[in-house]
Amino acid sequence: MTTATPSANTANGSTYQPGKIRNRVLWTLQIVLGLFFIIASGGPKLVIPNTLMENAPENLAIPLGLLIFIGVVEVAGGIGLLVPRVSALAAIGLSVLTVLAAATQAFIADKPAMAIFPLVLAAIFAWIAYERRATITSLLR
């Protein structure tokens, strides 16, 4: 396979960079998931929060302020996935957010089967963060 690259922080100071095909897969995922979180997930929480609160199940009542905060975090994370310099940090943030969403579905909404999708997203975001880890080290310099 042609995607083999040096490991992170080798002796000569170079950092890990994903191979060409892996980079394209990562960017495709980042664009699709970034747009999903901007348009389909976070956007409605900012544009029509009252409607979402009215249509929420009885056992999942979320305060308006928290719903708007979650929407802001999702939109910021979606935008961050599209910005190369902060994509790893955005992926880490979205991974934490989706784990919390899975916990909410499993324990508060009492629908553990609904937690599968957020957990899959968390794993994808963790992989993106791992592959883009060089951007974090470049930000620290």
Side-chain angles (χ1 to χ4, degrees):
M1 188 146 65
T2 60
T3 59
T5 55
S7 62
N9 296 326
T10 58
N12 63 5
S14 66
T15 57
Y16 173 83
Q17 296 292 325
K20 188 175 181 181
I21 293 173
R22 187 176 295 171
N23 193 42
R24 288 182 182 170
V25 170
L26 285 166
W27 274 115
T28 301
L29 281 172
Q30 287 174 237
I31 290 168
V32 169
L33 291 173
L35 291 175
F36 170 77
F37 271 88
I38 294 167
I39 297 168
S41 188
K45 290 178 180 86
L46 299 177
V47 177
I48 54 168
N50 292 325
T51 305
L52 293 175
M53 289 181 61
E54 291 169 5
N55 295 332
E58 294 173 7
N59 60 345
L60 193 58
I62 297 175
L64 179 63
L66 179 60
L67 186 68
I68 291 173
F69 174 75
I70 293 169
V72 167
V73 170
E74 289 178 346
V75 169
I79 292 170
L81 281 177
L82 304 176
V83 178
R85 292 188 68 128
V86 295
S87 61
L89 293 175
I92 291 169
L94 287 171
S95 183
V96 170
L97 180 74
T98 53
V99 167
L100 294 173
T104 300
Q105 289 292 337
F107 301 115
I108 295 174
D110 199 28
K111 296 183 179 179
M114 296 294 290
I116 294 170
F117 180 67
L119 289 176
V120 169
L121 285 176
I124 292 170
F125 289 131
W127 180 63
I128 291 171
Y130 176 77
E131 293 293 333
R132 300 289 187 209
R133 65 191 179 274
T135 62
I136 296 173
T137 57
S138 69
L139 284 174
L140 295 176
R141 289 183 204 164

